Amino acid sequence: MCIRDRINGASLMDVSLASPDRKLNGKVLVGRVFDALENQCTPLPPITETDPMFVLMMNDSKCDATIRVQYAAIAGAKLIIFGQEDESSRTINSIDNRFNPFFGLPIVFVTKIAALLLKETLKTQKVVVSFHFHLEKSKRIRLDFWLATWMVESYKLVSDWYPYQTLLSSKQVEFIPHYGTWHCHSRKKIGFTDQEQQNCISGGRYCAPDPDGSGPSNGRVALLETVRQLCIFKEDPKLWWRYVEEFGRHCLDWKDHDNCCRKTMENNGIDKKIIELCIKESFTDVDIAIEDNSLLKKERDAQRVTKAVSYTHLT
């Protein structure tokens, strides 16, 4: 990013692109900065300037980033500059990406210091910035799927992508599946000691909705299926693809879950004993209702870092 002002001339800053778009590659976008740091959680006044306006916001926890993007787009912004509250906020969740045309706006990250510097400079003068988009080429990319075992959309994503995955080698794409869980704050207050909640495990650290309503399964079954799928991926990523794709076709009614997942493992040559041992060892002790789970804890940590709150999507 190149910043031009009357006093210091031009200066350069590194930025991160939050909304990759091949159409931006090789282009330069120039515009004036509009400060929306103070009222970014409420509708912005219409931008009446004839110059392209880039709206400055802060990516923090005060309100949802999706709402901020909507307000900026409605006001007439051509690009959004998000200041990073910290390193963990370098992600904007794409929860409304399929339904929200405003996410067609280019979105870039700058450091918190850079955002505050822009804000301070705007108090005394106009600021014009130019963004030079040059996407780096790489022979290998990383693809993260964010899934939920209880959501049909997760299995549709896997099923739709599976034919392409079979054509790609691990040298071309590093694929990592992630699984979302819910967190029971009321159980945290009592030290995660609740054994009775049927939609949680580990004392309420990890919870999930009941996948079949009044049926025989519950959130705990869905969570254990999450651990199973993580164990299968840990054992062999290729088997994970085959298992999850078939599970999505045959087991989503959750009526006879144990037999369905057992048969799906057998059909795909997955050693049940190895997977069951992996599930057992992922808990810190024998009581799954209370003890923490190392695999789900790792997923929760990744969820916190990326601020992923929606499933299904990929990054």
Side-chain angles (χ1 to χ4, degrees), residues 220-286:
R220 185 172 293 181
V221 173
L223 289 163
L224 289 175
E225 177 59 33
T226 297
V227 178
R228 177 178 291 104
Q229 292 183 16
L230 286 168
C231 282
I232 293 172
F233 183 81
K234 183 179 178 182
E235 180 67 19
D236 188 333
K238 291 183 179 179
L239 292 179
W240 179 92
W241 280 100
R242 286 156 48 184
Y243 173 86
V244 174
E245 196 276 334
E246 185 172 331
F247 185 94
R249 286 189 285 114
H250 299 298
C251 302
L252 290 187
D253 61 2
W254 297 90
K255 301 302 181 187
D256 191 13
H257 174 263
D258 288 343
N259 284 330
C260 193
C261 69
R262 175 184 55 78
K263 184 179 295 185
T264 303
M265 285 194 288
E266 290 176 355
N267 291 345
N268 292 284
I270 298 171
D271 191 322
K272 180 183 176 182
K273 291 183 179 180
I274 291 177
I275 301 305
E276 292 301 320
L277 179 62
C278 172
I279 294 173
K280 179 181 178 181
E281 291 181 344
S282 68
F283 287 92
T284 54
D285 212 329
V286 294

Side-chain angles (χ1 to χ4, degrees), residues 64 66 91-99 103 144-148 150-151 153-154 157 178-182 303 306-315:
D64 191 273
T66 306
T91 297
I92 290 181
N93 173 26
S94 58
I95 185 169
D96 286 337
N97 196 33
R98 289 176 298 165
F99 315 103
F103 264 87
D144 292 66
F145 275 24
W146 283 92
L147 310 167
W150 59 87
M151 290 186 66
E153 292 83 359
S154 290
L157 175 62
H178 291 288
Y179 290 86
T181 59
W182 294 357
Q303 191 176 352
T306 61
K307 297 187 181 295
V309 295
S310 71
Y311 330 104
T312 304
H313 71 269
L314 57 87
T315 58

Side-chain angles (χ1 to χ4, degrees), residues 56-59 81-85 89 109-112 115:
L56 175 64
M57 296 180 165
M58 187 64 70
N59 187 28
I81 304 171
F82 265 116
Q84 299 166 217
E85 187 66 29
S89 63
F109 285 121
V110 299
T111 64
K112 182 177 182 180

Side-chain angles (χ1 to χ4, degrees), residues 54-55 207 222 241:
F54 299 162
V55 171
C207 302
W241 280 100

